[in-house]
């Protein structure tokens, strides 16, 4: 209704026309809000425990690998960047380019998964696990929970890739893509805060 | 400039800012200047004013990164104001709350 009113108004610019719309589906945004709330509770729990046991957490943060954390962050950021570009191409109906960008994004997501698995292997081989102390309990819980979100995101990106190969997306058919992209960016946003809290804030 | 090209340009710019800030926060956090006079596992030996400055900078950069992801990548810049404000509150409030718990 509001969009019709805007179209009737001749002074409205195209960018203003899109202002009344939330990207993707409202259901996806509810899921995103719930996920963000769960992660926020994990983060606050980690921060409170760190405040209570600063030496243990400082030692733990020196044990984990900052270079792997940095590599994971960069790979997720670049993956999100490619998905944002793919969404713009999907809106234009350029499905060939969308598929290429999504392949790149998936490769970068796999870089994250491999790097994180390697870090887990290093830590477990060095004798650290969930029961070592409070730092490692929270470290493994938060990062593994995020890891599962990345795996789910990879599945969604793969589905988008398959759809783009069928020339599915176009100017009037991209709402599902927007919702999936919002989920993937949420995973990226959460990792930015994980990186800040676990790797950087020491 | 057509809307499509404007969007693409802002996505490129956001990616550069995100990668630059990530490298910068890591460099500041592990800067040898901060730890020059400190033992590796002691926060108390670090110059308090330098420590506070580093913390403020790192928290601000984390907020900017979150804002860029929400505004540019999630395309919340063009959504209704109340949705945008709601989405932006997360990358602003959470780092602030975490910093207050950790450092106050």
């Amino acid at each position: 209704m509001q969009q019709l009113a805007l179209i009737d108004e001749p002074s409205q610019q195209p960018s203003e026309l899109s202002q009344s719309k939330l990207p993707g589906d409202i259901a996806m945004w509810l899921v995103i809000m719930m996920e963000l709330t769960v992660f926020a509770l994990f983060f606050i729990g980690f921060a409170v425990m760190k405040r209570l046991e600063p030496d243990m957490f400082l030692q733990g943060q020196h044990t984990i690998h900052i270079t792997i954390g940095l590599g994971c962050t960069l790979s997720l950021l670049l993956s999100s960047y490619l998905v944002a570009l793919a969404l713009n191409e999907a809106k234009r109906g350029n499905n060939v380019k969308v598929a290429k960008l999504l392949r790149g994004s998936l490769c970068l997501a796999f870089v994250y998964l491999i790097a994180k698995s390697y870090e887990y292997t290093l830590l477990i081989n060095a004798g650290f696990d969930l029961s070592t102390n409070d730092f490692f309990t929270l470290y493994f819980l938060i990062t593994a929970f995020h890891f599962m979100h990345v795996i789910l995101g990879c599945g969604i990106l793969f589905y988008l890739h398959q759809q783009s190969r069928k020339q599915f997306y176009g100017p009037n058919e991209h709402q599902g893509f927007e919702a999936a992209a919002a989920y993937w960016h949420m995973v990226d946003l959460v990792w930015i805060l994980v990186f800040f809290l676990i790797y950087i804030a020491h | 400039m057509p809307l499509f090209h404007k969007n693409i340009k802002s996505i490129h710019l956001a990616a550069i800012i995100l990668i630059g800030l990530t490298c910068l926060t890591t460099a500041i956090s592990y800067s040898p200047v901060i730890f020059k006079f400190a033992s590796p596992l002691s926060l108390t030996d670090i110059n308090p004013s330098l420590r506070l400055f580093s913390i403020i900078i790192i928290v601000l950069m984390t907020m900017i990164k979150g804002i860029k992801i929400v505004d540019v990548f999630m395309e919340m810049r063009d959504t209704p104001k109340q949705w945008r404000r709601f989405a932006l509150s997360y990358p602003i409030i959470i780092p602030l709350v975490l910093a207050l718990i950790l450092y106050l």
Side-chain angles (χ1 to χ4, degrees), chain A residues 79-101:
Chain A
S79 177
S80 235
Y81 163 63
L82 294 183
V83 169
L85 289 178
L87 175 59
N88 267 274
E89 295 295 341
K91 285 177 182 174
R92 295 173 81 201
N94 193 351
N95 282 280
V96 176
K97 204 165 180 185
V98 171
K100 277 183 190 171
L101 288 164

Side-chain angles (χ1 to χ4, degrees), chain A residues 86 89-90 93-103 106 156-170 173 177:
Chain A
E89 295 295 341
N94 193 351
N95 282 280
V96 176
K97 204 165 180 185
V98 171
K100 277 183 190 171
L101 288 164
L102 287 176
R103 277 197 292 274
L106 270 169
I156 293 170
L157 290 182
F158 182 72
Y159 174 76
L160 295 180
H161 174 260
Q162 295 305 98
Q163 291 292 91
S164 65
R165 287 184 70 190
K166 293 174 192 165
Q167 307 289 318
F168 182 76
Y169 299 110
E173 189 56 68
F177 199 117

Side-chain angles (χ1 to χ4, degrees), chain A residues 5 52 76 123 182:
Chain A
L52 295 173
L76 278 185
L123 288 172

